[in-house]
Amino acid sequence: MYTQAMDVPNADDAPSVAAPANEAEAAAHFDARCAAGEYVEAKDWMPDNYRKTLIRQISQHAHSEIVGMLPEGNWISRAPSLKRKTILLAKVQDEGGHGLYLYAAAETLGVSRDELLTALHTGRAKYSSIFNYPTPTWADIGVIGWLVDGAAIMNQVPLCRCSYGPYARAMVRICREESFHQRQGFDSLQTMMQGTDAQRAMVQDAVNRWWWPVLMMFGPHDKDSQHSETSTKWGIKRISNDELRQKFVDATVEQAKVLGVGLPDPALTWNAERGHHDFGAIDWTEFWNVVNGHGPCNRERLAAKVKAHDDGAWVREAALAFSAKQAARAAA
Ligand code: BYC
C-alpha cells in the first residue's frame, strides 16, 4: 500500500540530494528544484521553513480528518436504513484512514506521532473550522458529503501535485475516496429531495446552515493569507484560497439546481463579464472565532477526541507489550 512509498529517513542515511556547501546556495538550489516541478523526498535537503510549513499543514490536515469523524460518527447508530448505515460506517472509517496516511507523511519530516497528538489534545494545533458545527439532523450527513467533501476535493486535488512527494502520494488515494464520499452525500440528498415535504425542508435547512461555513473551509482571502506566498513559491500550494473557493461556488450552483435546493445567498448571481458567479461577503469574524476555539462545538469535539485517546490507552499498551514479547522471542 501507500506506506511502501513512504521513504522515511533513518538517522544514518545520507541525503539523496546532497546539500551544496553553504546555506544560501542550498536554498537557491532547492527553490530551483521546486520551480522546475521536481518532487522533494524525505531524505532530501530542505529549508527549515519548508519542513515547518509542511509539518504545520499536513498535521492540521491529519487532525481535520480525525476530528472530522466525530460529527458523522454521531449518526452511525441512527442512520435511517442498513444501506445508509454501512455507507456511513465505511466513509467514517475512510476518514480515519486518511488521518493515518497523513500522520505517516508528517512523520517522514522528523516529527513524532506523539508530538502531533499532544499538540492537538492540548488545543495548540488547528484543525478545519468546519468540524466545529453540529449535525442535528440526518440531512446534515448528506450535506457534509455533498458540500464538505466537495470543498475538500476542490482543495485537495491540487495537493496531489504538491512538491513534497510523500504528501502528494497520500493525496492521490485520499482524493479518490473523497470523490466517492461526495457522490454518496449527493445521492442521499437526492433521495430525500424526492421524498416528503418535511424531508425537503430538512435538506434545505441543513444547506442553509452549512453553506457559509463550507465557503470558510478554503481559508482567508488571498490578501489575508499569511502562508500563501511561500507555500506557492515552494509548490505546496498550486491554486490560491480565493480561486479554489470560486471554482467550488461555480460547480456547486449547478449541482444545487439538479438537487432542487436553494443556496442561502441573495448576492449569488452569474457574472457574464467575469465568467464566474459573484457571491456575498463571508463573515470572517465568525471564521476566526471558530478557528480560535470558540465555535459551537470546539469544546465538545476536543473533549471527545481526548476521551477516545485516553480510552484507547490499553490498546497501545497491549501492542507495545506484544511487540516487546516478539522482540524478546526473536532475540532468544
Ligand atoms: N480552518 O495563510 P493561510 C476534510 C488557518 S479535511 C482552520 O491561508 P494556508 C474532511 C491556517 O492554518 C479538511 N484554520 O494558511 C475530513 C493558518 O493558521 P496557522 C482539511 C484555517 O495553510 C473528514 C491561518 O488560518 N483540509 O475536508 O496557506 C470528513 C492563515 O491561513 C482554515 C486541509 O487541511 C480553516 N478552514 O491555507 C470530510 C487541506 N483556513 O497554521 C472532509 C490542506 C485557514 O498559521 N490544507 N486556516 O496557525 C490546506 O490546503 C491549507 O492549509 C488551507 C489554509 C487552504 C486550509
Side-chain angles (χ1 to χ4, degrees), residues 5-299:
M6 285 301 280
D7 213 12
V8 180
N10 293 317
D12 48 356
D13 277 344
S16 58
V17 175
N22 69 56
E23 191 80 3
E25 260 180 49
H29 176 67
F30 182 85
D31 289 355
R33 289 187 65 203
C34 291
E38 274 182 45
Y39 281 111
V40 177
E41 296 298 336
K43 293 180 213 160
D44 297 352
W45 182 89
M46 59 185 83
D48 281 348
N49 205 21
Y50 179 84
R51 190 182 296 277
K52 262 195 225 147
T53 298
L54 278 169
I55 291 175
R56 176 188 66 79
Q57 177 166 326
I58 301 173
S59 64
Q60 284 177 3
H61 193 166
H63 299 327
S64 304
E65 300 282 355
I66 299 295
V67 177
M69 296 165 80
L70 296 169
E72 291 182 286
N74 174 31
W75 273 93
I76 291 172
S77 60
R78 295 179 289 158
S81 68
L82 189 55
K83 175 182 153 187
R84 295 290 173 197
K85 194 192 289 279
T86 48
I87 292 172
L88 184 58
L89 201 54
K91 180 188 189 291
V92 172
Q93 182 176 284
D94 283 352
E95 307 300 359
H98 297 173
L100 299 186
Y101 310 155
L102 289 165
Y103 283 129
E107 282 170 314
T108 65
L109 290 155
V111 64
S112 75
R113 183 86 53 109
D114 281 346
E115 286 172 74
L116 297 176
L117 289 180
T118 303
L120 175 65
H121 296 160
T122 54
R124 270 188 291 122
K126 288 193 171 74
Y127 57 86
S128 181
S129 50
I130 196 70
F131 301 116
N132 293 304
Y133 290 86
T135 46
T137 72
W138 172 246
D140 289 284
I141 302 308
V143 171
I144 288 183
W146 175 40
L147 294 181
V148 175
D149 285 274
I153 298 167
M154 197 57 90
N155 163 267
Q156 292 175 15
V157 165
L159 292 174
C160 300
R161 290 186 294 115
C162 158
S163 57
Y164 189 56
Y167 190 26
R169 289 191 287 274
M171 290 316 302
V172 171
R173 187 174 172 133
I174 290 176
C175 284
R176 284 200 195 119
E177 292 177 354
E178 296 289 17
S179 97
F180 158 75
H181 296 168
Q182 196 264 357
R183 272 178 283 163
Q184 68 78 34
F186 190 85
D187 173 75
S188 169
L189 295 179
Q190 215 165 20
T191 304
M192 280 183 260
M193 290 304 286
Q194 286 157 12
T196 63
D197 285 347
Q199 284 173 308
R200 277 187 285 277
M202 185 169 69
V203 172
Q204 186 61 63
D205 170 64
V207 171
N208 293 349
R209 284 182 287 105
W210 287 90
W211 177 248
W212 292 106
V214 164
L215 294 190
M216 295 173 197
M217 282 176 73
F218 295 93
H221 282 314
D222 295 347
K223 64 176 172 44
D224 304 317
S225 164
Q226 72 209 70
H227 300 297
S228 277
E229 197 184 327
T230 41
S231 289
T232 305
K233 175 183 89 172
W234 280 326
I236 296 169
K237 225 173 193 172
R238 299 279 181 193
I239 308 185
S240 81
N241 297 2
D242 283 329
E243 282 174 275
L244 287 170
R245 191 171 8 246
Q246 181 71 65
K247 275 161 81 81
F248 173 78
V249 170
D250 290 341
T252 309
V253 165
E254 297 309 315
Q255 294 166 11
K257 283 185 199 153
V258 176
L259 267 184
V261 292
L263 296 173
D265 178 1
L268 189 60
T269 44
W270 175 249
N271 182 328
E273 215 171 288
R274 290 201 308 123
H276 291 292
H277 292 84
D278 290 337
F279 53 97
I282 291 170
D283 181 352
W284 294 112
T285 308
E286 173 180 328
F287 172 74
W288 289 115
N289 256 336
V290 176
V291 169
N292 292 322
H294 311 298
C297 299
N298 292 61
R299 284 208 188 94

